[in-house]
Amino acid sequence: VIRGHWILANLAGEPPPPPPPNVPSLESATVSARLPMRERLAAHRENPSCASCHNVMDPVGFALENYDAVGRWRETDDGHAIDASGGLPDGSVAVGVDELERGLLRRPDLFAATLAEKLLTFALGRGVTPEDGPALREVVRRAREGQYRFSALILGIVHSTPFQQRKTP
């Protein structure tokens, strides 16, 4: 869940919707800890108020299931074989990190726009505003011309109006 949410929000530029009101706490919706993670989450998604978000987040995270909480590769989890089959919000299947990466890169403009927004936020020391939208679109356009190289994104940020006209506190 956490991995899926992070990838959607920080790489795919498609954060899941916020939870609806009155969603029960996880404590009141517990599932047996002896079940494999995929089965625990499937039971959690049976709750319609949980499913609206988890049907989007969980498949993305499943593609990274071979990695434990600290990033070590694993083949099993509590004696259960890892199933790294997952998917992306567009419905495409991604089994493992390589296919997840290919899926994300099928839309380089979306990935570049998300990364450009994160870079501009860092460069300005503040969040982006709607007024930054034209500059971000120009950064992505320039990045496209530069085959979406990281250096093209950095140069686009440095030459952008918000960066050029930033004020230090």
Side-chain angles (χ1 to χ4, degrees):
V1 175
I2 294 170
R3 289 183 279 217
H5 184 281
W6 190 90
I7 289 170
L8 290 170
N10 294 293
L11 299 179
E14 299 177 6
N22 304 321
V23 172
S25 68
L26 289 177
E27 293 81 31
S28 64
T30 57
V31 181
S32 172
R34 287 188 269 156
L35 290 173
M37 181 58 67
R38 187 177 287 266
E39 290 179 34
R40 280 187 267 168
L41 288 171
H44 185 68
R45 285 191 309 273
E46 288 175 6
N47 181 333
S49 55
C50 298
S52 63
C53 295
H54 286 273
N55 285 339
V56 175
M57 286 186 296
D58 294 351
V60 178
F62 289 149
L64 298 172
E65 195 62 24
N66 282 113
Y67 297 95
D68 70 8
V70 295
R72 290 179 300 214
W73 182 263
R74 62 191 179 154
E75 298 286 334
T76 62
D77 181 26
D78 272 346
H80 300 282
I82 298 288
D83 177 5
S85 59
L88 291 164
D90 67 2
S92 61
V93 175
V95 179
V97 70
D98 292 337
E99 288 185 19
L100 178 62
E101 178 185 12
R102 282 193 292 278
L104 290 170
L105 292 177
R106 274 195 295 270
R107 296 194 48 205
D109 56 325
L110 187 56
F111 176 76
T114 303
L115 182 55
E117 182 178 330
K118 304 296 180 192
L119 290 170
L120 187 62
T121 297
F122 179 77
L124 298 176
R126 64 167 174 80
V128 296
T129 64
E131 291 79 20
D132 298 321
L136 280 169
R137 286 188 292 277
E138 178 64 15
V139 168
V140 174
R141 187 190 64 71
R142 287 183 180 190
R144 184 180 318 114
E145 292 170 0
Q147 286 88 39
Y148 296 105
R149 288 189 310 267
F150 187 68
S151 60
L153 284 167
I154 296 295
L155 287 171
I157 296 292
V158 169
H159 292 111
S160 70
T161 301
F163 185 79
Q164 293 284 321
Q165 296 181 355
R166 73 193 184 290
K167 295 178 183 161
T168 56

